[in-house]
Amino acid sequence: VTMGTTQPRVAFPGRRATVTRARTRATETGAARRTRRRHRGREYRRARDGAGDEGSKGNGEGGRGRTAVTMGAVGNASPGGGSLLMAVFYGIAYLTAASTIILLNKHVLSVTPFHYPIALASLGVLFGWVASVILVHTGAISLEKHKDITLSSWLKNVLPIGFFTGVTLATGNMAYFYLSLSFLQMAKALSPVALFFVLTITGLDRFHMSVFISVMVIVFGAAVAAYAEVHFTWIGIGLVVTAESFEALKSAAFQFLLANKSFSMWEGMYFVSPASLIFLGIAIYTMELQEMIEEDAWGQIKAHPLIFIACGTLGFAVNYCSLGVIKNAGSLTLKVLAQMKSILIIFAGIAIYSDVVSLQTALGYATSIVGFGFYNYAKIKAKEEDDKLAAAEAGSEKGGEEAGYGSTKK
């Protein structure tokens, strides 16, 4: 714009579209308004393929090893994004680290005098947080794009996720005291069940009958396996169900509270780990601290430092390798590898800890695995249906806006 008596007209990009939307909303029907609101919530469902189905679990398979959180594009990385060699490397590394951390946690809690599952679960979170803080303050990682995360927004959006993570880790590790290692891995096949109901109830995912049927197959298989389990206890099952339910709530919270954020692994550790440590610290103080003091738990750690360093290091390694698998091979590959890991742990439990797995238990678990396969297939098809519906609704809305603008212009 030049200074003078005559001012040329300034064109504002998007002004016409803004006016059109305002006029259309003023005259739209109730049905059109509901359609627009559904469209506005669709952005949450689009994130479910990676972060929703598998998510980035917290720390461990009951201390299961994953420390950080991934959201946004990382969780939705498409298969084939990297080289085949790197995909194979990260896949083997993930299976090795994930299997080792589970066996190591089982050894620490069952064989050594360190019987404090919540404290053990917090080691991986603490390790990842310290590493992220060091990298941030040395300038290796920049947090410039997350300047909008103030203390109040952290308390509102991140702290609840820390609570869900803390409950997941604590109850997951406590289950080792009540269930055999083999059956514990079988019970974790219920994870898609909890996730399905949480995402459907919260409206972050559409209900699809095919997905529901596959979930029921998983439930049936788990029930058959549990009925024949020699070391079955309701407390153990309750702990597993609680852990998987809060894991699903955490995934939903990521999508709902931080839908517009995209954190790398290190950024997730930096922001979310302190929130998790707050609730894990409260649980340790109320449930384990007194006994830890009486039994000199710190002395046990000093006597065997390498074991506990390995627990924290492997927790980070599992998370890092899982992100490598997602980046180079896709989230579905990670789910398949997670089931392979569970099968390896079942055989390890039989060989190392003499776990008894009856034929009926094995058949029940096999049924759950089949249901898991159908679940992933149904989720892929459901996503395709949602994408087609989204495209159709977007087209109809665009046509409505153009028609509204045309009538207004006349």
Side-chain angles (χ1 to χ4, degrees), residues 78-99:
S78 60
S83 66
L84 176 61
L85 180 61
M86 294 304 296
V88 172
F89 169 77
Y90 279 114
I92 294 175
Y94 169 79
L95 284 175
T96 303
S99 301

Side-chain angles (χ1 to χ4, degrees), residues 19-41:
V19 174
T20 299
R21 283 193 295 269
R23 291 170 177 169
T24 302
R25 291 181 182 179
T27 58
E28 67 182 350
T29 63
R33 188 178 298 109
R34 288 192 295 272
T35 300
R36 177 168 54 81
R37 290 173 179 172
R38 286 198 303 271
H39 177 72
R40 188 166 48 190

Side-chain angles (χ1 to χ4, degrees), residues 29-369:
T29 63
R33 188 178 298 109
R34 288 192 295 272
T35 300
R36 177 168 54 81
R37 290 173 179 172
R38 286 198 303 271
H39 177 72
R40 188 166 48 190
R42 195 175 299 119
E43 63 185 68
Y44 299 118
R45 292 193 292 272
R46 288 175 179 171
R48 75 183 186 272
D49 188 37
D53 292 343
E54 174 66 19
S56 291
K57 292 189 177 180
N59 208 33
E61 305 284 341
R64 287 169 281 183
R66 300 183 196 168
T67 310
V69 180
T70 48
M71 287 158 280
V74 176
N76 291 322
S78 60
S83 66
L84 176 61
L85 180 61
M86 294 304 296
V88 172
F89 169 77
Y90 279 114
I92 294 175
Y94 169 79
L95 284 175
T96 303
S99 301
T100 304
I101 186 66
I102 294 174
L103 293 174
L104 185 58
N105 282 342
K106 175 66 175 179
H107 174 79
V108 171
L109 294 174
S110 301
V111 179
T112 71
F114 193 89
H115 302 313
Y116 312 108
I118 304 176
L120 184 63
S122 66
L123 290 179
V125 183
L126 181 62
F127 181 94
W129 182 57
V130 171
S132 65
V133 169
I134 292 174
L135 291 175
V136 167
H137 288 279
T138 56
I141 296 175
S142 175
L143 300 177
E144 287 295 321
K145 62 181 180 179
H146 298 302
K147 281 185 175 181
D148 58 326
I149 299 183
T150 61
L151 178 60
S152 59
S153 65
W154 184 86
L155 291 173
K156 179 181 178 180
N157 297 327
V158 179
L159 194 63
I161 298 173
F163 170 72
F164 296 141
T165 303
V167 175
T168 298
L169 302 182
T171 53
N173 258 13
M174 291 170 65
Y176 280 106
F177 291 135
Y178 300 95
L179 298 174
S180 66
L181 181 62
S182 299
F183 183 68
L184 184 57
Q185 299 305 308
M186 297 181 189
K188 287 172 184 175
L190 293 172
S191 177
V193 179
L195 187 62
F196 168 78
F197 284 108
V198 168
L199 292 181
T200 303
I201 292 173
T202 56
L204 294 176
D205 209 348
R206 294 179 182 272
F207 177 87
H208 292 273
M209 181 56 67
S210 57
V211 178
F212 176 74
I213 293 174
S214 65
V215 163
M216 290 298 100
V217 173
I218 296 174
V219 172
F220 174 76
V224 171
Y227 183 78
E229 170 60 20
V230 176
H231 302 290
F232 176 86
T233 64
W234 282 109
I235 296 177
I237 289 294
L239 289 170
V240 172
V241 171
T242 301
E244 298 302 333
S245 298
F246 274 85
E247 177 65 36
L249 288 171
K250 186 188 76 173
S251 297
F254 275 131
Q255 293 185 48
F256 184 75
L257 297 178
L258 297 171
N260 297 322
K261 294 293 181 184
S262 180
F263 288 174
S264 70
M265 178 186 66
W266 294 110
E267 293 166 346
M269 286 181 182
Y270 185 82
F271 287 109
V272 180
S273 294
S276 303
L277 288 171
I278 289 175
F279 293 103
L280 287 170
I282 294 174
I284 292 172
Y285 179 79
T286 56
M287 302 176 65
E288 295 181 346
L289 183 60
Q290 185 62 38
E291 186 178 352
M292 290 177 70
I293 295 174
E294 295 174 355
E295 299 295 331
D296 190 22
W298 177 243
Q300 298 174 29
I301 295 176
K302 291 191 296 182
H304 306 283
L306 294 180
I307 293 180
F308 295 95
I309 292 174
C311 286
T313 305
L314 285 170
F316 162 75
V318 172
N319 184 76
Y320 187 83
C321 293
S322 66
L323 296 185
V325 172
I326 292 174
K327 180 179 179 180
N328 292 278
S331 59
L332 180 60
T333 302
L334 181 63
K335 299 174 191 177
V336 175
L337 289 175
Q339 292 301 319
M340 292 175 60
K341 176 257 305 175
S342 295
I343 295 174
L344 291 175
I345 294 299
I346 291 172
F347 283 112
I350 295 173
I352 300 174
Y353 297 102
S354 301
D355 290 348
V356 178
V357 178
S358 65
L359 178 61
Q360 182 176 336
T361 301
L363 291 175
Y365 181 61
T367 303
S368 294
I369 294 296

